[in-house]
Amino acid sequence: MSLELTDITLTYADGDTRLTALDRVTLQVPKGSLTAVVGPSGSGKSSLLAVAATLITPDAGTVTVDGAATAGLSRGELAELRRHRIGIVFQQPNLLPSLTAAEQLQVMARMGGRGAGRSRALELLDAVGLVDQAHRRPHQLSGGQRQRVNIARALMNDPTVLLVDEPTSALDHERGAAVVELIARLTRERATATVLVTHDRAHLTAADRVAEVHDGRLRRPAPTG
Ligand code: ADP
Ligand code: MG
């Protein structure tokens, strides 16, 4: 199993008490498969991704990436794990305004210790249908194109795990559906264990499994279709 969350509980300070954002959540995502996570706003979807990304340490439970437990790793070791094994796509693309599309990806290659990565950057931009836009900067791209650069960037270091948080929230339905289709295709082609948070149920047909979260509790993922 490429990504395993086992019995995760996460609380946040909330005045004098604590708010339970994730309540004994267990989720297993095999390589090359797409699990969609749906649920109302505030139900814990982003918290789930943050724990899977090792950006937040839960109160209890374990996260395993590529068969290796993340408990007990130092901050530096976790950062290293994220650079090499985890691709993260947030809601907003967070592209660097002064860099071209190709350079956004090349920055990741350098951080991953992989040299300039120019040819890999172009290969990935081709995979997301943007190789002819490689020289453009973010303001010269549409919202959908920026989100596709964001996705290509997350794949730059060939991650095992791909975590995507509501990538279509700033897109219209048609462009949103195309982005989700793209994520589903890349999941198969690049054999990532992908978790996609979405609020749009129309996108669920692209997923292999759908997990619903309510008040921090996850229902066991069910196969789609
Ligand atoms: P979703 O992504 O499904 O909208 P979140 O994971 O962002 O849900 O939030 C789950 C719950 O945790 C919400 O009640 C939210 O207000 C709370 N929460 C999220 N992040 C924090 C934080 N950093 N500190 C305190 N409470 C938080
Ligand atoms: Mg969220």
Side-chain angles (χ1 to χ4, degrees):
M1 200 63 62
S2 290
L3 173 65
E4 277 185 277
L5 306 186
T6 308
D7 230 7
I8 299 285
T9 293
L10 173 70
T11 65
Y12 295 113
D14 183 35
D16 291 336
T17 63
R18 299 195 71 83
L19 181 153
T20 301
L22 297 173
D23 190 1
R24 286 163 291 161
V25 166
T26 290
L27 180 67
Q28 302 185 331
V29 186
K31 204 172 162 63
S33 76
L34 175 60
T35 295
V37 174
V38 289
S41 176
S43 58
K45 304 182 299 296
S46 293
S47 298
L48 176 71
L49 286 193
V51 169
T54 76
L55 291 167
I56 301 182
T57 304
D59 300 52
T62 59
V63 178
T64 302
V65 175
D66 247 349
T70 60
L73 295 184
S74 68
R75 289 166 71 102
E77 287 165 336
L78 287 175
E80 181 79 359
L81 175 86
R82 282 194 295 276
R83 271 197 297 277
H84 293 284
R85 303 222 189 266
I86 303 176
I88 306 173
V89 179
F90 291 113
Q91 242 164 308
Q92 297 300 328
N94 295 319
L95 299 175
L96 299 164
S98 62
L99 299 187
T100 67
E103 287 163 353
Q104 312 279 347
L105 274 62
Q106 290 179 257
V107 167
M108 299 303 285
R110 281 199 202 97
M111 292 199 317
R114 285 191 169 207
R118 177 87 188 163
S119 62
R120 180 160 173 81
L122 293 177
E123 186 243 323
L124 277 166
L125 287 174
D126 192 32
V128 300
L130 284 180
V131 74
D132 52 343
Q133 313 287 320
H135 60 286
R136 296 209 163 185
R137 294 175 211 283
H139 71 275
Q140 299 168 311
L141 299 169
S142 70
Q145 288 173 330
R146 282 198 289 272
Q147 196 52 288
R148 284 191 277 154
V149 172
N150 197 18
I151 292 162
R153 180 176 61 175
L155 292 169
M156 192 62 188
N157 291 330
D158 210 8
T160 311
V161 173
L162 180 63
L163 304 170
V164 192
D165 199 354
E166 305 206 28
T168 65
S169 52
L171 305 177
D172 63 31
H173 182 77
E174 196 179 324
R175 288 194 180 86
V179 163
V180 170
E181 286 301 328
L182 173 67
I183 291 165
R185 174 166 65 76
L186 292 169
T187 294
R188 291 189 297 271
E189 286 176 6
R190 314 260 154 185
T192 54
T194 303
V195 182
L196 167 71
V197 167
T198 177
H199 57 272
D200 191 342
R201 293 192 160 264
H203 295 151
L204 300 183
T205 51
D208 298 299
R209 295 189 295 174
V210 178
E212 286 198 38
V213 60
H214 283 279
D215 290 337
R217 296 225 176 107
L218 194 77
R219 280 202 211 125
R220 196 163 283 286
T224 52

